[in-house]
Amino acid sequence: MKKLLAFSLLAIAATAATADAAWLQYSVASPGDLLLPWNRPDVYGIRLDMPYGHNKGSVIGVDLGIVGVADEDVIGIAVTAANIADMGATEGLQFGLLANRTKELYGIQLASALNWNEDVAYGLQMALVNYDGEFYGLQLGGINWFVGNAYGASIGAFMLSNSSFTGFSAGCLNYAMKKVSGLQLGGINLAAESSAGLQLGLVNISKHHEGVQLGIINLNSSGFLPCFPFVNFNFSR
C-alpha cells in the first residue's frame, strides 16, 4: 500500500510539470479513464498504454504498451502492439507487434503484419505488408506497395508501384504502372509504361525499355525485336 501511494504521488507530481503536457502518463482503457492526474493533450516523456492510450496532441519520448494513439506527432521510441499517429508524423523508431500507421515517417518502422503511411516515408520499413504514399529508403516485406513515387530499394515477394519507381527492386513480381528506372531482379518484371536500366528475371515485360533485358522471355516493343529469348536491348532515346 505504501509503494502504491508513493507511486501515485510521484505520478501526480510528474504530470503537474506543465499546464498542457505530462512527462508521465498511464492510460488504462480510454483517453479519460486514468490519466494522472488529468487529461492533457501532449506527453513529453513516458506514456504507458495499458492497454490503450490516446492523446489529442503529440507524444515525444517513449511510448510503451498495447495500443498507442496520437492525433499529432510521435517522436522518439514507440513499442506497442499497434502504433497510430493519425494526422501527424512519426520520427524515430516505431515498433508494432502487429501494425504501425502514420501520416508521415522519418526513421524506422517495424511490424509483423502492416506498416501504413498515408503521405511520405523516409527510412526503413519491415513488415508483411508495407504501404506508402511516396517513399525514400529501404523496404523489406512480403508486399511492398507504393501509391506515389518511390526512390530506393524494395526487397520482398511482391513490389507494386502505382506511380514511378527509381532504384533496386527484387521479388517474385515487380510491377510498376508507370516508369521504372534502375535494376529489376525477379521472377516477373513488368513495367506497364516504360523502364530504363536492367531487367533480370525469368520474364521481363516493358512497353518501352531503354537498356538491357536478361531472361527466358523478354518483351519490349522498342527492343531490337519485340520478343526475344535470353536477351533483348534498346539503347535509342
Side-chain angles (χ1 to χ4, degrees):
M1 185 67 182
K2 290 183 178 179
K3 291 183 179 180
L4 179 60
L5 179 59
F7 176 79
S8 300
L9 292 174
L10 177 61
I12 292 172
T15 52
T18 68
D20 297 322
W23 68 262
L24 176 62
Q25 175 179 297
Y26 182 82
S27 183
V28 175
S30 71
D33 272 355
L34 179 58
L35 300 181
L36 301 175
W38 53 78
N39 192 355
R40 302 192 183 195
D42 300 314
V43 175
Y44 300 153
I46 300 174
R47 183 174 73 169
L48 302 176
D49 313 312
M50 298 297 178
Y52 177 71
H54 184 171
N55 287 81
K56 295 180 179 179
S58 301
V59 177
I60 301 175
V62 179
D63 191 19
L64 304 173
I66 309 300
V67 178
V69 181
D71 291 350
E72 297 183 8
D73 298 339
V74 176
I75 301 174
I77 299 174
V79 180
T80 70
N83 298 300
I84 302 171
D86 275 337
M87 301 302 296
T90 295
E91 301 179 24
L93 171 63
Q94 194 176 46
F95 178 85
L97 183 62
L98 295 176
N100 299 304
R101 177 182 171 182
T102 185
K103 189 169 179 137
E104 298 177 1
L105 170 69
Y106 303 89
I108 299 173
Q109 206 173 44
L110 307 174
S112 62
L114 175 65
N115 290 318
W116 184 288
N117 295 286
E118 295 287 340
D119 287 350
V120 63
Y122 293 82
L124 168 65
Q125 284 185 305
M126 184 183 300
L128 180 63
V129 177
N130 297 303
Y131 174 91
D132 289 284
E134 193 164 295
F135 184 78
Y136 301 81
L138 170 63
Q139 275 193 338
L140 304 172
I143 299 174
N144 298 323
W145 185 1
F146 311 101
V147 177
N149 297 327
Y151 305 86
S154 168
I155 301 173
F158 302 96
M159 188 282 284
L160 307 173
S161 174
N162 291 23
S163 191
S164 298
F165 181 89
T166 302
F168 170 70
S169 62
C172 299
L173 171 66
N174 298 307
Y175 174 69
M177 295 180 65
K178 293 186 179 179
K179 184 176 181 180
V180 178
S181 300
L183 170 60
Q184 284 186 301
L185 174 64
I188 300 175
N189 298 313
L190 174 59
E193 287 191 2
S194 64
S195 55
L198 174 62
Q199 284 187 321
L200 178 60
L202 299 177
V203 178
N204 301 305
I205 303 172
S206 179
K207 185 176 180 181
H208 173 80
H209 182 75
E210 182 181 328
V212 178
Q213 294 174 309
L214 298 175
I216 297 175
I217 299 175
N218 302 291
L219 300 174
N220 179 13
S221 59
S222 302
F224 79 96
L225 286 176
C227 179
F228 202 78
F230 305 117
V231 62
N232 205 347
F233 57 85
N234 168 42
F235 297 109
S236 63
R237 291 185 177 273

